[in-house]
Amino acid sequence: MFGLVGALVGAAVVGLAWTVLGSGAESSSEGLFDADGADITAPAEVGGYARIADVAVFQGQDGQENLEGAQTRNQRNAKRLSEAYGGAGAVVESYSDDEYDEAFSVKLFRATSPFPPFVAYEDAEELGLARPQSDVEVHGDVACVRHTVQVTPAGEEIDPASVITGSCLRTRSGLTVEITNVTGDLSHDPEKVASLVDEVWSSVS
């Protein structure tokens, strides 16, 4: 009984705080990211990778259904991205090679992001690991977050295939380009992914 009363009192307190602070929360990101609401357009091709709408494997009936699902997700993610960055102009586009063996998503928006991106600190030696499970690798103006998907004990050789690129990001003065959802052999080559980020950057900056 007392647990229920406590929960209800706690919920009421939280609700009151939300009522008092809620109106400010809606605009808390305004002015924080140098956001610009102007439209922004993703390139038709990046480093030889085409937009998935132009890739042959998406032209059949099954492919069209998958394409429509991907495009819907991209549109909704672009809307959420804009909302998260104070109304910044934003677009999300998916790219792949001809066979969809290698693919990635580009997030392009008119706002400044934290750089380098936050990755939680891990002491690999203390954990008895050959390398941290996540880290940041910088290539020029681009920072890439890498993840080790296979635990490798300290002293053992790391399988290069077990280290994947989670995302690569470049940002400055109200513009951010980020590549995420990297698949295939491309995910093991952060330097190449970073070069793709630079290519997108050059197309809009």
Side-chain angles (χ1 to χ4, degrees):
M1 177 66 178
F2 290 107
L4 176 60
V5 171
L8 292 174
V9 171
V13 172
V14 172
L16 177 62
W18 184 256
T19 300
V20 173
L21 301 175
S23 59
E26 292 180 1
S27 59
S28 62
S29 63
E30 290 182 5
L32 186 61
F33 308 107
D34 299 323
D36 182 347
D39 289 343
I40 193 165
T41 304
E45 183 181 278
V46 181
Y49 297 89
R51 289 179 298 194
I52 59 173
D54 301 322
V55 175
V57 295
F58 288 97
Q59 302 311 311
Q61 182 174 350
D62 292 341
Q64 281 293 317
E65 292 178 0
N66 291 329
L67 175 62
E68 289 172 6
Q71 290 177 325
T72 297
R73 289 190 295 272
N74 286 344
Q75 290 166 4
R76 291 179 177 176
N77 284 331
K79 182 175 183 294
R80 291 188 174 189
L81 194 57
S82 176
E83 291 170 350
Y85 282 88
V91 64
V92 178
E93 186 61 83
S94 300
Y95 298 82
S96 83
D97 60 8
D98 292 340
E99 301 300 325
Y100 203 64
D101 292 327
E102 295 181 351
F104 56 90
S105 296
V106 169
K107 292 191 278 188
L108 184 58
F109 52 100
R110 296 191 184 280
T112 306
S113 298
F115 188 92
F118 172 78
V119 170
Y121 171 75
E122 296 177 12
D123 188 328
E125 183 177 355
E126 180 182 357
L127 295 172
L129 300 175
R131 56 165 288 128
Q133 292 299 101
S134 297
D135 65 3
V136 176
E137 181 176 286
V138 176
H139 298 274
D141 295 320
V142 181
C144 295
V145 177
R146 304 185 305 167
H147 303 295
T148 303
V149 296
Q150 176 180 315
V151 175
T152 305
E156 294 188 12
E157 185 174 351
I158 299 172
D159 179 1
S162 71
V163 183
I164 64 171
T165 304
S167 62
C168 288
L169 175 145
R170 179 173 176 177
T171 184
R172 190 187 65 211
S173 304
L175 178 64
T176 297
V177 175
E178 184 176 15
I179 287 182
T180 61
N181 303 325
V182 187
T183 67
D185 291 341
L186 181 62
S187 68
H188 306 300
D189 192 348
E191 187 171 1
K192 183 175 181 180
V193 179
S195 72
L196 297 175
V197 170
D198 283 333
E199 182 176 331
V200 176
W201 180 275
S202 297
S203 74
V204 294
S205 60

